Amino acid sequence: MSQYGFSRRGGMQVPPKSPVMQLLVVNLGLFLAGNLAFFVVLLFQGAGGASALRNILSDWLAMPYNLEAFAFRPWTLLTAAFFHQGFFHFLFNMIFLYFLGGLLQTLHGASKIWPLYLLGGILGNLFSFLIFQAPGTQAMFGASSLLGASGALMA
């Protein structure tokens, strides 16, 4: 592997103990824990309990769309950076994190990856929240929570 993180075969490689890999593992662990809890509740309480759990997780971890809800859940600026709603949302965010994170780690250094991810998540969520406050956007997108891992990756 060269000093820029690219292998001689032409692909980028992310070292196993790098901050990008740490973020991937943390996101995977949280995603699996949430889904395991969902399936355990589904098994013991049925679809109604599982649906209630999914709503609770979404309410407490995803970025709310309205100011009143956000005032009581300001931590969602950060938790939404690790919250994924569905397998494909998780999968594509992790693929994007692997490649873009690996490139950023190579260009700017490993010590900046965690701060970039966290700051990107907070700023991406804040930007999404502010955009969602524009007239007509709630009608266009519905009354749903915003997700922030995408914002963390894009910022």
Side-chain angles (χ1 to χ4, degrees):
M1 185 161 53
S2 74
Q3 67 179 356
Y4 299 108
F6 294 96
S7 71
R8 293 177 190 236
R9 289 185 237 154
M12 182 176 312
Q13 295 182 348
V14 175
K17 295 184 179 183
S18 70
V20 170
M21 197 59 69
Q22 292 170 0
L23 282 167
L24 290 167
V25 169
V26 166
N27 275 285
L28 176 63
L30 293 172
F31 182 74
L32 291 175
N35 280 293
L36 177 64
F38 175 78
F39 287 117
V40 167
V41 170
L42 180 64
L43 182 65
F44 290 107
Q45 294 186 352
S51 179
L53 176 65
R54 187 170 301 261
N55 289 338
I56 290 168
L57 289 175
S58 183
D59 284 347
W60 288 95
L61 299 176
M63 187 72 192
Y65 70 94
N66 64 21
L67 187 58
E68 296 82 22
F70 175 68
F72 292 103
R73 298 189 311 246
W75 61 83
T76 58
L77 273 175
L78 183 60
T79 59
F82 296 95
F83 184 65
H84 305 278
Q85 197 141 8
F87 174 74
F88 287 106
H89 180 231
F90 170 77
L91 177 67
F92 291 120
N93 276 356
M94 294 307 100
I95 290 170
F96 195 75
L97 174 61
Y98 180 83
F99 288 107
L100 182 63
L103 181 63
L104 288 174
Q105 182 171 287
T106 299
L107 295 175
H108 298 293
S111 65
K112 295 183 181 168
I113 297 303
W114 272 95
L116 274 172
Y117 186 87
L118 296 174
L119 184 62
I122 291 169
L123 293 177
N125 283 320
L126 192 56
F127 180 73
S128 296
F129 177 79
L130 292 173
I131 291 295
F132 207 73
Q133 302 311 307
T137 55
Q138 290 183 16
M140 187 183 324
F141 295 109
S144 63
S145 296
L146 301 173
L147 300 174
S150 302
L153 295 173
M154 294 296 180

